[in-house]
């Protein structure tokens, strides 16, 4: 066995001489062993150098050439970006006259659509659908091509691999660490969403010309949920896919993969960015060689790699200064991330990021042993000016005692001036944040100015609060300001951060003074705002929890002061918010109960103050929302009565103040919701009339203030409703034109903020409506593509809010529409037999998925004629 091992270790060029020496007495044996070893090499490299590589490349090139210029979904393919074993990525451009967008389309290769590959492909699509982060390439949507190959559409990222970007731009050590920190933030975000990338390497992290890194290729990523990945021994194929140079010891051994795997790969990446060298030299793709190097060898310290490298004076990373900067903290950070045992690495990517941040700030890092001398050195380096000043102060202290009394007198004068400046600045900040904004918020076209004014006021308050942390009154104002800026911010993640800060401050104020009604009211408002944002992010179930907490606090305050009309008004508003969130999860009876209570409180407020038009407006909103809940519950007669009452009030209020934006929006909503109810009653002529009136109201508002993304969303929704009514009336061309406009606006809004789930909901409905219409009228195949896009969006929404019955019902409906679409193809006698068999198979598949989703949720949509549960009779009628 020792002789065989020695022969295997020989390079192929020297193997013949070795065998001639060992088998000198039996040359025939030597020839036989040489042939066996040659076959062994070919077997080891089978997956790396297939004998038919040339044929495969030819066929791949032929397939790529055939795809150039073809239309896939809404896009036309322009060129190839890259290819792998599973699929090919193409650069494509939107195929429309009104707007142009470049995207990347990932498409499975012909012949690779096996069950396992399709499962991996769908897994990647599901993972991307759940991730919305500025440093992760976004998934727009997906579907299937005319010939049944699945695809999905991604954000097109034009940039360089991160290592090349650093080298070309000659980035400094600090600049590289800051760039790497953005990558850490993206990976940590993926981990928080239970996704392990498993293939972090420079080619999967592109940096745009603007310096923004983008994480790509989740093709072998893993969801940390049961059933998505089985632990098994690593094969040669997987070693090629996972890129051994960046793979962790547990990966190459086939052990369970955790978030620690990505932390290890980030350590390797950081090693390479700081030294421009890789930590290991892997000279063979043999599995045993890879395991030996990755699991057995210890990498050099980054500072030693730089010192031992050939001198390269032009390279900033090889300079003596670079070696000095690597020595110590960075050596320890990199090697801690790359420890062989996962339990000895950083527990999370956030901890790795925190150590890098601490290093950049000159603070002690957790990767080094915490000693007094280490902490002292860090403190002195971080505060050189302060320490020097302290020494000088100590020397001059005695000399200054004589002048202390005079300085104290001057300090008292300066303190009085500072207090006056503090009060003046506080009044200015409060006026900018609240009073001025309230005076212009109803004027169309002022959203950008309002955001800027409130942001400046908040900045002032933030500075003041840092100077007066014990001033609870100022902390209270700061909390209200955070909530204010959150309501004006269209980026939902930034809005959630702002409202969460307000919630934290208000909770601390209530903890300190549990009986303070002002702080309790502010806390209730913050809970309501956080509920709003979670609803926008696509998790209405969490929204219900926060609205419930808000309602509970206001209910207790109102019970303690039943004569307080202002608290009654807040209680009415809390019931409205609770009803909205319950309706978005399909709990229509509970929503209706909240709307009725809100209406009752509104009547009491109006009776006590009949001249206040705000009370009439609030009544109209409660009537309108209650009408929608009644319609969803099947009581159409009562719904129409409430709609009429709401519409009458809204028309009267808008006529009395035509320039008031809020009153116009209320009238728009009343017209749109009445039209929706009429559509549910199968009265499309009347519905279209109300939807077109809604369009005449919202279009001028959206055009007057393009920066207001909320108005843009309202406009996209109105185009969708007009299109649905036209489709019901048989006006196919006009309906498709409205659907197309709704899709265009919604996609532009999502490009500005990919986390807006409410826009995704309407976009999915627009794709589904257009697809269903095309299937039923003129272009079944194109319709199936659009329906597939709707399904991809709906699957992502279900992942965001898995407890939401309404989302599961919408997904079930789109699955059923796909099944019906393939059934229509099946009924076409001119379809070839092979294609008919495929259509039958897909129709059955989508039918089963639809029925499964339908059975998972409660029967909350029984009264909507479009929402009919799949049944065995429907299935039998197709054949």
């Amino acid at each position: 066995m020792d002789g065989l091992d020695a022969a295997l270790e020989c390079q192929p060029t020297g193997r013949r001489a070795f065998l001639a020496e060992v088998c000198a007495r039996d040359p025939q044996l030597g020839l036989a062993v040489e042939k066996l070893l040659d076959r062994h090499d070919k077997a080891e490299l089978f997956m790396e150098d297939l004998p038919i590589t040339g044929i495969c490349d030819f066929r791949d090139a032929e397939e790529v050439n055939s795809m150039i210029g073809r239309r896939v979904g809404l896009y036309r393919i322009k060129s190839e970006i890259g290819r792998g074993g599973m699929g090919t990525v193409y650069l494509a451009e939107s195929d429309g006259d009104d707007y142009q967008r470049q995207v990347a389309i990932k498409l499975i290769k012909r012949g690779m659509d096996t069950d396992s590959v399709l499962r991996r492909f769908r897994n990647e699509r599901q993972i991307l659908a759940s991730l919305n982060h500025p440093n992760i390439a976004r998934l727009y949507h997906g579907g299937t091509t005319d010939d049944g190959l699945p695809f999905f559409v991604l954000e097109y990222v034009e940039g360089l691999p991160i290592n090349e970007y650093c080298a070309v731009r000659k980035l400094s050590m600090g600049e590289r660490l800051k760039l790497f920190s953005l990558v850490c933030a993206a990976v940590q975000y993926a981990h928080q969403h239970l996704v392990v990338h498993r293939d972090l390497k420079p080619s999967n992290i592109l940096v745009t010309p603007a310096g923004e890194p983008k994480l790509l290729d989740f093709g072998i990523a893993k969801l940390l949920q049961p059933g998505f990945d089985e632990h098994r021994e690593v094969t040669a194929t997987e070693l090629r896919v996972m890129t051994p140079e960046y793979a962790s010891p547990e990966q190459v051994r086939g052990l369970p993969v955790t978030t620690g795997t990505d932390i290890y790969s980030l350590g390797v990446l950081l090693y390479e960015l700081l030294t421009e060298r890789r930590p290991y030299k892997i000279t063979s793709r043999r599995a045993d060689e890879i395991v030996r190097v990755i699991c057995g060898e210890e990498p050099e310290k980054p500072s030693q790699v730089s010192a031992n490298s050939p001198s390269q004076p032009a390279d900033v990373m090889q300079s003596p200064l670079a070696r000095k900067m690597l020595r110590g903290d960075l050596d320890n950070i990199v090697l801690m991330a790359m420890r062989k045992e996962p339990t000895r690495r950083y527990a999370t990517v956030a901890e790795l990021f925190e150590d890098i941040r601490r290093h950049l700030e000159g603070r002690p890092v957790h990767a080094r042993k915490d000693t007094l001398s280490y902490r002292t050195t860090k403190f002195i380096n971080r505060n050189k000016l302060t320490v020097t000043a302290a020494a000088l102060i100590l020397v001059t202290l005695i000399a200054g005692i004589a002048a202390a009394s005079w300085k104290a007198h001057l300090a008292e004068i300066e303190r009085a001036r500072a207090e006056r400046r503090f009060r003046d600045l506080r009044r200015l900040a409060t006026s900018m944040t609240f009073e001025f904004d309230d005076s212009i918020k109803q004027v169309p076209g002022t959203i950008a100015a309002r955001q800027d004014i409130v942001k400046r006021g908040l900045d002032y308050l933030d500075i003041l609060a840092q100077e007066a942390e014990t001033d609870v009154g100022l902390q209270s104002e700061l909390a209200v300001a955070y909530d204010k800026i959150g309501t004006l911010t269209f980026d939902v993640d930034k809005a959630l951060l702002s409202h969460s800060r307000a919630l934290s401050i208000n909770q601390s104020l209530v903890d300190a003074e549990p009986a303070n009604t002002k702080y309790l009211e502010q806390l209730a408002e913050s809970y309501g705002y956080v509920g709003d944002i979670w609803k926008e992010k696509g998790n209405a179930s969490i929204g219900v929890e926060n609205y419930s907490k808000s309602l509970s606090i206001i209910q207790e305050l109102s019970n303690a002061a039943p004569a307080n009309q202002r608290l009654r008004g807040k209680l009415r508003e809390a019931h409205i918010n609770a009803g909205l969130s319950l309706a978005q999860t399909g709990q229509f009876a509970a929503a209706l109960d909240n709307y009725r209570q809100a209406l009752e409180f509104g009547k009491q407020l109006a009776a006590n103050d009949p001249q206040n038009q705000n009370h009439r407006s609030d009544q109209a909103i409660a009537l309108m929302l209650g009408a929608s809940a009644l319609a969803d519950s099947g009581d159409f007669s009562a719904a129409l009565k409430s709609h009429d009452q709401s519409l009458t009030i809204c028309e009267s209020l808008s006529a009395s103040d035509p320039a008031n934006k809020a009153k116009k929006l209320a009238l728009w909503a009343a017209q749109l919701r009445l039209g929706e109810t009429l559509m549910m009653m199968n009265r499309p002529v009347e519905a279209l009339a109300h939807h077109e009136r809604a369009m005449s109201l919202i279009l001028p508002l959206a055009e007057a203030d393009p920066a207001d993304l909320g108005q843009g969303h309202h406009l996209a929704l109105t185009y969708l409703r007009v299109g649905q009514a036209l489709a019901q009336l048989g006006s196919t061309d006009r309906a498709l034109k409205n659907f197309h406009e709704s899709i265009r606006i919604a996609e532009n809004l999502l490009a500005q903020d990919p986390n807006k789930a409410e826009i995704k909901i309407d976009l999915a409905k627009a794709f589904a409506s257009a697809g269903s219409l095309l299937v039923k009228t003129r272009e079944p195949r194109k319709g199936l593509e659009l329906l597939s896009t709707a399904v991809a969006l709906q699957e992502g929404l279900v992942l965001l809010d898995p407890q939401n019955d309404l989302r599961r019902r919408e997904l079930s409906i789109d699955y059923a529409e796909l099944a019906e679409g393939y059934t229509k193809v099946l009924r076409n006698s001119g379809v070839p037999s092979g294609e008919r068999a495929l259509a039958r198979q897909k129709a059955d598949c989508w039918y089963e998925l639809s029925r499964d989703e339908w059975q998972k949720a409660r029967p909350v949509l029984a009264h909507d004629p479009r929402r009919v549960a799949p049944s065995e009779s429907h299935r039998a009628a197709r054949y």
Side-chain angles (χ1 to χ4, degrees):
M1 185 59 69
D2 293 339
L4 177 60
D5 290 340
L8 287 170
E9 290 298 323
C10 283
Q11 294 295 323
T13 55
R15 187 176 291 160
R16 181 169 294 178
F18 173 80
L19 291 175
E21 180 181 349
V22 174
C23 302
R25 296 182 180 179
D26 191 348
Q28 295 299 321
L29 174 62
L31 290 173
V33 172
E34 185 177 356
K35 290 181 179 179
L36 286 172
L37 290 174
D38 183 55
R39 292 179 181 176
H40 175 274
D41 289 342
K42 290 180 179 179
E44 285 286 353
L45 300 177
F46 176 73
M47 293 307 299
E48 189 168 356
D49 298 304
L50 287 173
I52 58 171
T53 299
I55 299 173
C56 291
D57 289 344
F58 173 78
R59 289 177 178 172
D60 286 350
E62 187 179 53
E63 181 177 342
V64 168
N65 291 333
S66 71
M67 292 299 297
I68 303 303
R70 282 188 57 183
R71 192 173 183 279
V72 175
L74 300 175
Y75 305 92
R76 191 167 299 280
I77 291 178
K78 308 293 287 184
S79 61
E80 178 190 4
I81 297 175
R83 71 178 77 170
M86 183 174 70
T88 306
V89 182
Y90 298 95
L91 172 64
E93 197 171 67
S94 55
D95 193 19
D97 297 331
D98 298 333
Y99 68 103
Q100 298 291 327
R101 171 195 284 176
Q102 286 191 330
V103 297
I105 293 182
K106 188 166 185 176
L107 182 67
I108 281 187
K109 292 180 181 179
R110 290 186 180 88
M112 291 299 296
D113 48 346
T114 62
D115 288 343
S116 61
V117 172
L118 288 172
R119 194 159 48 245
R120 179 183 291 176
F121 197 82
R122 179 169 291 176
N123 183 40
E124 181 178 6
R125 188 176 75 178
Q126 277 193 317
I127 286 173
L128 288 171
S130 67
L131 300 180
N132 284 307
H133 190 274
N135 298 116
I136 297 177
R138 296 195 301 272
L139 171 71
Y140 291 134
H141 52 77
T144 55
T145 63
D146 291 347
D147 46 2
L149 292 178
F151 70 88
F152 51 82
V153 181
L154 295 159
E155 173 187 5
Y156 172 59
V157 180
E158 185 174 0
L160 292 173
I162 188 169
N163 57 342
E164 293 181 24
Y165 180 87
C166 292
V168 170
R169 296 293 182 97
K170 292 182 169 35
L171 297 190
S172 66
M173 191 82 72
E175 290 171 331
R176 294 174 188 234
L177 290 171
K178 290 176 182 177
L179 187 63
F180 178 77
S181 296
L182 295 176
V183 177
C184 288
V187 177
Q188 175 66 9
Y189 173 85
H191 288 181
Q192 289 172 339
H193 287 71
L194 306 180
V195 175
V196 180
H197 189 281
R198 299 205 293 186
D199 195 20
L200 295 172
K201 57 185 178 182
S203 61
N204 282 341
I205 305 168
L206 300 185
V207 185
T208 67
E212 283 293 322
K214 292 282 187 177
L215 187 56
L216 312 173
D217 197 354
F218 283 75
I220 66 167
K222 172 188 176 185
L223 277 172
L224 297 178
Q225 295 178 3
F228 272 94
D229 204 37
E230 298 176 356
H231 305 309
R232 58 193 185 284
E233 192 172 326
V234 177
T235 66
T237 305
E238 288 170 315
L239 282 175
R240 288 188 68 216
V241 171
M242 71 174 67
T243 315
E245 286 83 357
Y246 301 89
S248 65
E250 61 267 23
Q251 273 182 292
V252 300
R253 283 177 171 167
L255 298 176
V257 170
T258 65
T259 53
T261 299
D262 282 351
I263 294 171
Y264 179 91
S265 299
L266 286 172
V268 177
L269 177 64
L270 181 58
Y271 193 109
E272 184 173 352
L273 293 182
L274 297 180
T275 66
E276 298 190 343
R277 302 287 187 276
R278 290 178 180 171
Y280 302 109
K281 292 182 180 179
I282 299 176
T283 58
S284 170
R285 283 300 188 267
R286 286 170 42 184
D288 59 339
E289 173 67 9
I290 292 171
V291 172
R292 183 189 68 78
V293 173
I294 300 297
C295 301
E297 293 186 4
E298 290 293 338
E300 289 184 281
K301 292 181 178 180
S303 57
Q304 292 175 344
V305 171
S306 297
N308 296 333
S309 299
S311 177
Q312 300 180 19
D315 192 341
V316 67
M317 304 312 293
Q318 304 300 329
S319 66
L321 177 60
R323 292 197 295 272
K324 182 179 179 181
M325 293 173 68
L326 286 170
R327 192 177 302 121
D329 283 357
L330 291 176
D331 275 343
N332 282 275
I333 289 171
V334 172
L335 295 180
M336 183 172 177
M338 290 179 58
R339 284 174 178 170
K340 307 293 185 186
E341 305 86 351
T343 55
R344 297 183 63 235
R345 299 173 200 150
Y346 287 101
T348 64
V349 178
E351 291 185 9
L352 169 60
F353 170 81
E354 174 66 12
D355 255 6
I356 292 172
R357 185 186 67 80
R358 294 178 71 85
H359 170 75
L360 290 172
E361 293 177 355
R363 299 181 181 277
V365 302
H366 297 106
R368 290 190 68 175
K369 187 176 181 180
D370 189 16
T371 63
L372 178 61
S373 61
Y374 174 57
R375 291 200 309 273
T376 303
T377 301
K378 283 290 182 181
F379 179 83
I380 293 174
N381 289 337
R382 192 168 66 249
N383 301 278
K384 289 179 180 178
L385 293 177
T386 304
V387 172
T388 303
L392 291 173
I393 290 171
L394 182 64
V395 172
T396 58
L397 181 61
I398 297 175
I401 293 176
S405 58
W406 173 246
K407 289 181 179 179
H409 175 67
L410 293 177
E412 186 64 32
I413 296 174
E414 184 60 30
R415 188 181 304 110
R417 291 175 180 171
E419 288 178 355
R420 285 197 298 273
R421 287 196 298 270
F422 186 92
R423 288 194 299 269
D424 291 342
L425 183 58
R426 181 172 176 176
R427 281 196 296 269
L428 173 63
T430 303
S431 175
M432 290 178 67
T433 307
F434 306 115
E435 297 169 7
F436 186 72
D437 177 70
D438 288 341
S439 68
I440 66 170
K441 67 181 180 181
Q442 298 303 340
V443 180
T446 59
I447 186 67
R450 291 176 62 208
Q451 287 176 315
D452 186 57
I453 291 168
V454 174
K455 179 66 170 63
R456 290 176 184 272
L458 178 60
D459 289 342
Y460 290 141
L461 284 172
D462 215 348
I463 294 170
L464 294 175
Q466 292 174 18
E467 296 179 6
E469 294 182 356
T470 58
D471 187 338
V472 292
L474 185 57
Q475 294 294 323
S476 172
E477 291 175 19
L478 183 63
V480 177
Y482 273 127
D483 272 336
K484 186 80 168 181
I485 195 66
T487 61
L488 294 174
T489 302
F490 294 125
D491 185 314
V492 291
D493 283 339
K494 290 180 180 178
L496 181 60
L497 178 62
S498 188
H499 289 311
S500 297
R501 286 175 177 170
L503 181 63
S504 177
I505 295 172
N506 285 324
Q507 186 63 66
S508 65
L509 292 172
V510 169
D511 290 343
E513 299 183 41
N516 190 312
T517 56
K518 176 184 176 182
Y519 299 156
L520 284 167
E521 285 183 43
Q522 290 181 188
L523 179 60
E525 286 191 354
S526 292
Y527 272 124
Y529 287 134
V530 170
D532 290 339
I533 300 304
W534 276 112
K535 188 175 63 175
E536 285 190 42
K537 283 174 70 67
N539 197 319
S541 301
I542 296 181
V544 169
E545 296 173 11
N546 282 275
Y547 288 133
S548 177
K549 292 176 181 178
S550 175
L551 178 59
S552 177
I553 295 172
I554 295 297
Q555 184 73 66
E556 289 185 13
L557 291 173
S558 183
N559 290 344
N564 189 319
Q565 298 301 299
R566 186 179 54 79
L567 285 177
R568 287 284 180 178
K570 287 184 174 293
L571 187 56
R572 182 208 61 79
E573 183 180 355
H575 276 296
I576 288 290
N577 288 332
L580 280 167
S581 63
L582 288 164
Q584 287 199 351
T585 59
Q587 301 177 65
F588 298 122
L592 183 58
D593 182 58
N594 276 276
Y595 295 147
R596 284 170 173 162
Q597 293 190 61
L599 185 60
E600 185 60 33
F601 288 126
K603 289 178 180 178
Q604 295 173 13
L605 292 167
N608 292 327
D609 188 5
Q611 301 305 316
N612 191 331
Q613 288 193 345
N614 289 332
H615 294 324
R616 294 185 65 209
S617 179
D618 293 339
Q619 278 185 285
I621 292 172
L623 284 165
M624 176 200 317
L625 296 175
S628 294
L630 285 165
D632 283 318
S633 303
D635 191 347
F636 294 120
S637 176
L640 288 178
K641 183 178 179 181
S642 291
H643 274 309
D644 287 340
Q645 292 174 345
S646 172
L647 186 58
T648 299
I649 297 172
C650 289
E651 287 175 335
S652 172
L653 291 173
S654 183
S656 67
D657 190 2
N660 190 296
K661 184 172 70 173
K663 292 176 181 177
K664 277 189 180 180
L665 279 175
L667 180 56
W668 163 81
Q671 295 282 7
L672 197 74
R673 284 184 176 266
L674 175 53
E676 290 171 350
T677 297
L678 290 167
M679 282 291 290
M680 293 175 68
M681 298 173 66
N682 200 23
R683 291 161 62 175
V685 175
E686 298 165 80
L688 179 61
H690 288 286
H691 288 158
E692 288 179 335
R693 288 174 198 151
M695 179 67 77
S696 68
L697 291 164
I698 197 62
L699 191 57
L701 289 176
E703 290 175 345
D705 200 352
D708 191 336
L709 303 189
Q711 306 291 28
H713 179 207
H714 295 154
L715 183 60
L717 177 60
T718 309
Y719 273 116
L720 171 62
R721 294 293 183 247
V722 171
Q724 288 172 334
L726 288 167
Q728 191 74 12
L729 290 168
S731 185
T732 302
D733 290 335
R734 290 179 61 198
L736 289 173
K737 184 177 180 181
N738 279 272
F739 292 146
H740 174 78
E741 192 63 16
S742 178
I743 291 170
R744 182 189 68 81
I745 296 171
E747 287 191 326
N748 285 338
L749 293 174
L750 274 184
Q752 296 179 66
D753 186 0
N755 295 319
K756 286 275 191 181
E758 290 187 323
I759 297 175
K760 289 182 183 179
I761 292 170
D762 293 336
L763 181 59
K765 290 178 181 177
F767 274 119
S769 297
S772 297
L773 182 58
L774 287 171
V775 165
K776 294 171 184 175
T777 55
R778 55 182 70 165
E779 297 180 70
R781 296 180 187 280
K782 185 178 179 181
L784 289 173
E785 290 181 9
L786 298 180
L787 284 169
S788 297
T789 300
V791 163
L793 286 167
Q794 291 287 10
E795 287 175 339
L797 290 165
V798 168
L799 283 175
L800 290 174
D801 193 0
Q803 304 303 316
N804 191 327
D805 292 338
L806 193 58
R807 297 275 63 80
R808 289 193 175 278
R809 288 305 174 110
E810 292 295 339
L811 178 57
S812 170
I813 292 161
D814 288 343
Y815 281 151
E817 292 284 358
L818 268 177
E820 290 301 321
Y822 280 108
T823 302
K824 189 174 182 66
V825 173
L826 190 61
R827 289 173 180 159
N828 189 341
S829 59
V831 175
S833 59
E835 192 172 338
R836 287 173 61 81
L838 178 62
R840 181 185 296 272
Q841 181 182 3
K842 290 188 174 182
D844 281 342
C845 172
W846 293 119
Y847 163 76
E848 294 298 338
L849 287 171
S850 176
R851 188 176 63 174
D852 288 347
E853 287 298 326
W854 193 267
Q855 290 173 348
K856 287 177 185 176
R858 296 189 298 274
V860 295
L861 300 169
H863 301 285
D864 187 336
R866 182 175 174 268
R867 297 173 170 90
V868 179
S871 67
E872 292 297 334
S873 61
H874 291 149
R875 183 184 187 192
R878 294 206 304 264
Y879 305 122

